Structure formats: structure tokens, C-alpha cells
Amino acid sequence: MTQEFTAPGPLIALRVHPPTPNSGQVYTDVQNAIAEVCLKEGWPAPAPSQVAVPLAHPPQP
């Protein structure tokens, strides 16, 4: 587990290393556990972020 203190609050990263055949189920279980704890504690859900890079268009004549 990694913990970093930022201006908005602490950032915690949890890295799970399950055996390959179980990785999908373990990932889902960990995400569900994190969501349950956050909901129970009343912590806000993180805002989704997306980086958009505009495509370059050739100049129009």
C-alpha cells in the first residue's frame, strides 16, 4: 500500500498481486470492498477524469 498526502487529502494506492487465473475476480472484489468502505465512511466518490487530445486537422483552403 502506498500513501501520499496531497492538498485535497490523502491518496492511497492499493496494489494487489493475485495469481494470473484469479486476477479478474480479485480486482473486482478489491474494487467492491473499496467502494463499500468509502460509502460507509461517507467519503465522496472521486470525480472521473479524462484527458482529451484534439485531432490535428489539415488547414482548409
Side-chain angles (χ1 to χ4, degrees):
M1 182 171 80
T2 303
Q3 186 171 2
E4 177 181 325
F5 293 100
T6 62
L11 171 70
I12 298 173
L14 179 64
R15 292 179 182 89
V16 185
H17 300 281
T20 304
N22 301 329
S23 62
Q25 185 63 49
V26 171
Y27 176 81
T28 301
D29 292 345
V30 168
Q31 295 301 314
N32 288 339
I34 292 170
E36 287 175 18
V37 169
C38 291
L39 182 63
K40 178 182 154 196
E41 296 298 324
W43 297 336
S49 60
Q50 185 174 21
V51 177
V53 178
L55 298 175
H57 295 288
Q60 299 295 326

